[in-house]
Amino acid sequence: IKEKPLLAVAKAHRAEGRVEAALEKARQHAALNPHDGDARGFYAALLLQSGAASAAVDVLHAVARSADPPPAYASLYARALCAVGEAGAARRWHERASAAAPEDVAIAAARVMDGLWLEHDPAGTRRRAFRFQDRRRSLHSLAARRGPATVRRVNSDSLR
């Protein structure tokens, strides 16, 4: 027996592209396990993906009340707030998530994407985008310094 069978089914439905079925199973699991943060985050992400941003805000409201929310949930809450037009609150939650996890690429990307709608400090948003790009470049240069990947071309002569 799986520990979280409804959540496992919801994740399987999402992987299969069955968002409505995933939403229902995630809702059921969240209702039965209101203190399961992972389930709340998964359910809220599904709601946001399906266009129900205000419902995602409601589900994640507990994040706002917690003393030290995980950065990924703070970022998700910021994205949901931005989607419902709460720019000031979204900005604060994006900053909180970014401060808690400054090297998290997903959090930085979410902030940059929402920065287009937040209309606050556009130069700062551009700076964040450039920092994000610089991180990607440094990863690529690190890979380049390690040497080229060993890839052999196969031609018809080598198959004989």
Side-chain angles (χ1 to χ4, degrees):
I1 297 176
K2 293 183 179 180
E3 185 177 333
K4 300 177 181 181
L6 287 172
L7 187 59
V9 171
K11 289 180 178 183
H13 284 318
R14 182 182 187 189
E16 295 166 357
R18 299 174 55 205
V19 177
E20 290 299 320
L23 274 168
E24 181 55 26
K25 294 300 180 186
R27 184 198 61 75
Q28 290 173 3
H29 179 83
L32 292 171
N33 303 287
H35 300 293
D36 185 348
D38 291 336
R40 292 180 78 82
F42 179 76
Y43 182 43
L46 277 175
L47 287 167
L48 195 57
Q49 176 186 351
S50 67
S54 60
V57 169
D58 292 340
V59 168
L60 290 168
H61 187 67
V63 170
R65 292 186 304 225
S66 68
D68 191 24
Y73 297 145
S75 178
L76 183 60
Y77 189 52
R79 289 176 32 222
L81 287 167
C82 187
V84 297
E86 295 289 335
R91 192 176 308 111
R92 287 188 299 277
W93 280 96
H94 270 304
E95 294 302 324
R96 188 172 181 174
S98 295
E103 297 300 317
D104 190 311
V105 176
I107 289 174
R111 173 64 179 95
V112 169
M113 291 302 296
D114 281 352
L116 300 174
W117 286 272
L118 295 177
E119 296 182 13
H120 173 74
D121 189 18
T125 301
R126 284 193 296 276
R127 277 194 304 273
R128 286 184 191 91
F130 289 129
R131 279 199 307 250
F132 177 72
Q133 242 178 356
D134 288 343
R135 279 190 231 157
R136 285 189 63 225
R137 279 192 203 116
S138 68
L139 289 174
H140 288 294
S141 74
L142 176 65
R145 278 184 272 157
R146 289 186 178 168
T150 320
V151 177
R152 286 188 343 172
R153 286 197 158 166
V154 178
N155 59 29
S156 59
D157 294 335
S158 66
L159 295 175
R160 293 182 194 168

